[in-house]
Amino acid sequence: MRKTRDDLTISEALRDPLIAMVLRADGVKLEDFKQLLEAAAGKREPRPTPVGKMIVALASRTNLPAMPCFG
């Protein structure tokens, strides 16, 4: 099965055994790490969707506006 993303989700990171070992070694509580990840995720800009990427690519090639107009 091919993985479609490179980043772990927050729940995957919290269950990862290697991350758990590093947290223990550094004396970081799992709940504190979870709060850090959730705060960072809240500040992160969303990734463009594949459709959004396609619209931007087509617009840049044809000098069309990046936002499609329907109406």
Side-chain angles (χ1 to χ4, degrees):
M1 175 185 236
R2 184 172 175 258
K3 196 171 186 179
T4 58
R5 57 184 163 70
D6 295 326
D7 301 329
L8 295 174
T9 64
I10 291 175
S11 60
E12 289 171 337
L14 295 173
R15 291 190 315 261
D16 187 275
L18 183 57
I19 291 175
M21 286 190 303
V22 172
L23 292 175
R24 274 194 303 272
D26 289 343
V28 177
K29 295 178 185 172
L30 188 62
E31 184 59 32
D32 292 340
F33 183 60
K34 178 182 176 186
Q35 289 176 5
L36 173 74
L37 292 177
E38 289 173 344
K43 294 178 183 179
R44 185 172 180 244
E45 290 187 29
R47 291 182 181 174
T49 64
V51 172
K53 287 180 184 178
M54 182 183 74
I55 291 170
V56 170
L58 289 174
S60 67
R61 290 182 189 167
T62 59
N63 295 323
L64 296 174
M67 292 298 294
C69 298
F70 301 102

